[in-house]
Structures are given as C-alpha cells and as structure tokens.
C-alpha cells in the first residue's frame, strides 16, 4: 500500500518515458529478426503484483513469448507504477501501452455502456453461467464498437470474483448503510447504487482507499476477497459482508491502431492466446478467494463475516432495480442494445446449463 503511494508520483515521469520508448521500439514493427532486440509489448494492469490481473497478464506474457521464440517481450506493469486506472486507459489510447486492463467501474465514466457490468443483481448465482455469458461473441460484438470509438480494442472480459463490502459495522439491511461513507470506483452508476441503498458513496482511485479508511475519511469499501487481502483493507475495517450483489468485472484491452497495424499472424496469435485464457481469471480468483480469506482470518481472527440471507438480499435487490432505468436513460439505444445482449447471453448460458 505504502509502496503504491510512494511510487504514485513517479507515474507521470515513467509514463512520459514510456511514450518516448514506444516511438523508438516501434511496437507494431514486424521486421524484427532474431539478431535484433525483441519487440516490446507493454501490458499495464490495475492491480498489484500477485493479483488476479497480474496472474492473467503473466500467463499472457508466457504464452506470447514462448510462441514467438522470445521475438516479442511482454512487459507487465503493476498498479502504481504508471498511475491510476484512468491514467492507464489514457496511456493505452495514446499508444504508449499496447495492452491494459480497464474496469467498467472506472472506464464506465467515459464509455457509459460499459456500466452494464455494474448493475447489481443482474448476474446469475451460478458462476458457470456468468463465465459463458461474458465470453459470448455476440456480447463482445455489441460492446466492441463503443471501445473502438475511443481507440481501444476489446480483447477479453474477465470475471474476478464477487464483490464484498468491508465496513466498520454490521450490514444486514439497507437502513444499516445510513451514514456510511463507502468508497466506490469512479463510474456514476456505482455512486447511484449506493445512494439508493442509503449510503454516502465517495469515488476515489484504488491506491487511495487504504489511507482513506485508516484516516476515517470513509467507513467502507467494496472489492473481491483477493483484493481485500492484497490491499490490506481488512486491517482497517471490521466486517466483511457477502451480499453477492455484483461480481468484479474487468476488460482486457489493446490499443486499436497497434492491433490494426500488426501482421495478421501476430494478431491471430494474440486472439488465440486470449481465447485460450477465457475463464482463466475466474479460476485464479476462485482459488485466491479461499486462500486469501483464510489468510485474513488467520491474521485477524476477530474479523466478522456476514453472509446475507436471501430475504436480506431481496431488500437490496428491490432498491437496485430502478438503476436499470437510470442506466438506460444515461445510455439510450446503445445502452439498451448492450443490456439486452448481456441478458440474452445470460439466458443462453442458463439454457445450456440445464
Ligand atoms: O477498486 C478498484 O478500483 C480496483 N479493484 C480491483 C479488484 N481491481 C482493479 C480496480 O481498479
């Protein structure tokens, strides 16, 4: 955590250096021979080393390097080295990064259709259904033009586990949220959801959450279990509330021009590796969830775990329902198409499971 804050101010300098390097290394250049230095592809993640995104990016790196006989060198940049999630997206758009992770929780500010992944109680209780739905090509085709319009190419949609509230008091009903300042990611739909529950949501970058909790500037935050462990949020909160209201979804993106200028075999290789990694992040997240929850409880046995019952969840579900309309109002026809595509994908995957 402290490391992340300490390095944050270097992010701008490093980002500028990367821009200069990008011009020199001509990352889309396909003329690289074995005698020449490898071509560098930069991949920035929004999480720390050892996270779900890091494990995914490292596996991508391993496969790409192996299959190009190290003619491509994939460099993975962990959160904090190049700035906030918004900074990473900007660097990706500018072409100083070739790949980056971007959560709809942040990117939904500039691409509102992505906020579909932030709607509460939309996903299925069966994760296999959710995984099949987010990999559905029809959903990707509906979303891709919105990203392309911003210079971004959609590679994959990642499921990183269910979001868990960590708070300084028990939560069983929306009324328990009264007066609670909860940190959310920065997309407006998230703030609206917690306002609907009666909380006082505050948007801030990931790297600032620990200190904000420690200094009592906020009382709660929401993230998957692995993140609660690796960002030490459990140290500065006393309760973990499992409401299964929404999963943490991220998108893996590439710079559009970079992809367009690549030799077709390189582009195919990327698509092949990305498709092999479908479901990889979810598997990693599931493993981490059990392992890291055990670590949290070992280090802090007094941590109180609360799993909401179905009737308790129903009260939150009812308050979340109008958010759907709000999403549609904010996004119009294009948002409706994306929501319908996701719902259709979920229905198709539910049917396939039956
Ligand atoms: O809460 C956040 O901002 C971040 N949480 C995770 C688990 N990944 C990246 C995201 O930016």
């Amino acid at each position: 955590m402290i490391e992340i804050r300490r390095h944050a101010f270097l992010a701008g300098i490093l980002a500028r250096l990367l821009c200069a390097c990008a011009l020199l290394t001509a990352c889309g250049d396909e003329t690289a021979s074995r005698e020449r230095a490898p071509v560098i592809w930069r991949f920035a993640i929004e999480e720390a080393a050892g996270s779900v995104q890091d494990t995914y990016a490292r596996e991508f790196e391993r496969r790409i390097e192996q299959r190009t006989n190290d003619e491509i060198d994939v460099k993975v940049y962990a959160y904090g080295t190049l700035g906030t999630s918004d900074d990473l997206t900007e660097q990706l758009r500018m072409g100083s990064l070739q790949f980056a992770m971007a959560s709809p929780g942040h990117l939904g500010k500039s691409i509102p259709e992505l906020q579909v992944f932030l709607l509460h109680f939309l996903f299925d209780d069966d994760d296999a259904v959710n995984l099949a739905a987010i990999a559905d090509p029809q959903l990707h085709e509906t979303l891709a033009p919105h990203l392309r319009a911003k210079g971004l190419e959609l590679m994959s949609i990642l499921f990183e586990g269910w979001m868990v509230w960590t708070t300084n008091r028990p939560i069983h009903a929306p009324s328990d949220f009264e007066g609670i300042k909860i940190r959310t990611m920065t997309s407006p739909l998230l703030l609206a959801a917690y306002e609907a529950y009666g909380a006082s949501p505050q948007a801030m970058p990931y790297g600032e959450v620990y200190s904000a909790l420690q200094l009592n500037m906020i009382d709660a935050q929401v993230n998957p279990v692995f993140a609660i462990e690796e960002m030490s949020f459990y140290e500065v909160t006393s309760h973990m509330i499992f409401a299964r209201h929404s999963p943490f979804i991220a998108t893996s993106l590439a710079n559009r021009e970079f992809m367009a200028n690549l030799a077709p075999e390189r582009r195919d290789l990327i698509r092949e590796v990305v498709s092999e990694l479908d479901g990889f992040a979810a598997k990693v997240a599931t493993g981490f969830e059990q392992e890291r929850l055990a670590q949290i409880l070992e280090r802090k046995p007094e941590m109180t775990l609360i799993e909401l019952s179905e009737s308790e969840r129903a009260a939150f579900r009812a308050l979340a329902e109008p958010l759907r309309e709000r999403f549609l109002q904010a996004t119009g026809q294009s948002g409706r198409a994306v929501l319908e595509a996701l719902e259709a994908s979920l229905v198709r995957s539910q049917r396939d499971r039956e």
Side-chain angles (χ1 to χ4, degrees):
M1 258 307 303
I2 291 162
E3 271 304 284
I4 284 174
R5 291 182 64 75
R6 193 175 299 144
H7 289 301
F9 80 101
L10 287 175
I13 297 168
L14 197 48
R16 257 170 253 134
L17 271 175
L18 278 184
C19 265
C21 288
L23 291 173
L24 290 173
T25 52
C27 298
D29 182 4
E30 292 309 311
T31 58
S33 70
R34 273 162 211 272
E35 294 80 49
R36 289 174 57 187
V39 172
I40 294 169
W41 288 355
R42 298 185 171 82
F43 193 159
I45 56 169
E46 301 174 285
E47 294 167 3
S51 62
V52 173
Q53 291 186 3
D54 184 48
T55 312
Y56 178 98
R58 301 265 169 215
E59 190 55 29
F60 176 86
E61 172 187 4
R62 192 185 68 74
R63 290 180 193 220
I64 294 284
E65 291 180 357
Q66 191 185 53
R67 287 187 218 170
T68 60
N69 294 320
D70 291 326
E71 283 176 17
I72 304 290
D73 176 5
V74 178
K75 289 197 184 300
V76 177
Y77 295 85
Y79 187 74
T81 49
L82 300 177
T84 65
S85 293
D86 292 345
D87 296 331
L88 303 187
T89 305
E90 193 46 30
Q91 289 160 40
L92 181 65
R93 275 164 36 81
M94 300 300 287
S96 49
L97 292 170
Q98 284 66 54
F99 303 97
M101 295 290 187
S103 314
H106 295 293
L107 192 52
K109 281 195 300 291
S110 52
I111 307 179
E113 290 82 2
L114 274 181
Q115 295 186 104
V116 74
F117 296 111
L118 309 177
L119 287 169
H120 289 185
F121 299 99
L122 177 68
F123 280 89
D124 202 275
D125 282 339
D126 180 352
D127 284 348
V129 167
N130 298 328
L131 287 189
I134 59 171
D136 191 330
Q138 287 182 38
L139 172 66
H140 285 233
E141 277 161 30
T142 317
L143 268 175
H146 302 295
L147 290 146
R148 237 172 253 143
K150 301 276 181 186
L152 305 166
E153 201 64 49
L154 179 62
M155 300 278 104
S156 188
I157 302 175
L158 277 57
F159 183 98
E160 298 192 36
W162 288 85
M163 296 291 250
V164 175
W165 300 321
T166 66
T167 62
N168 59 11
R169 65 163 110 129
I171 305 275
H172 288 277
S175 57
D176 297 328
F177 260 129
E178 200 188 319
I180 288 202
K181 293 196 275 297
I182 184 166
R183 177 271 175 176
T184 68
M185 289 179 280
T186 49
S187 288
L189 201 72
L190 286 173
L191 294 154
Y194 286 94
E195 269 160 17
Y197 295 158
S200 306
Q202 292 191 15
M204 65 178 72
Y206 199 34
E208 293 175 18
V209 181
Y210 183 91
S211 341
L213 285 166
Q214 195 177 37
L215 299 172
N216 296 321
M217 288 159 59
I218 51 170
D219 315 298
Q221 68 80 43
V222 49
N223 257 302
V225 171
F226 82 86
I228 292 168
E229 188 279 326
E230 91 195 354
M231 298 299 279
S232 304
F233 298 148
Y234 68 93
E235 287 180 2
V236 280
T237 44
S238 53
H239 293 69
M240 289 175 79
I241 325 286
F242 297 76
R244 280 179 84 83
H245 58 291
S246 134
F248 182 86
I249 300 285
T251 58
S252 167
L253 307 176
N255 172 280
R256 182 183 172 181
E257 227 177 283
F258 160 75
M259 285 297 279
N261 292 335
L262 271 181
E265 60 272 21
R266 289 282 194 243
R267 206 164 33 237
D268 290 348
L269 172 65
I270 292 172
R271 293 285 182 197
E272 186 183 295
V273 169
V274 163
S275 129
E276 288 166 8
L277 292 179
D278 259 355
F280 180 86
K283 232 177 262 157
V284 171
T286 308
F288 279 3
E289 191 163 313
Q290 288 155 19
E291 191 182 297
R292 301 207 183 175
L293 184 58
Q295 285 168 2
I296 292 172
L297 294 175
E298 199 181 303
R299 291 181 209 143
K300 188 169 180 177
E302 69 278 21
M303 191 80 186
T304 307
L305 308 190
I306 298 175
E307 194 175 334
L308 297 194
S309 67
E310 281 312 313
S311 64
E312 288 170 335
R313 288 178 78 217
F316 288 98
R317 190 194 298 270
L319 291 173
E321 189 55 36
L323 267 294
R324 195 188 155 87
E325 202 40 52
R326 193 164 175 144
F327 168 77
L328 292 173
Q329 270 166 17
T331 54
Q333 255 323 103
S334 56
R336 185 176 295 278
V338 169
L339 178 57
E340 283 173 4
L342 176 54
E343 286 182 325
S345 303
L346 285 163
V347 169
R348 267 195 298 279
S349 339
Q350 278 153 357
R351 272 200 216 116
D352 292 348
R353 291 281 292 165
E354 279 162 17

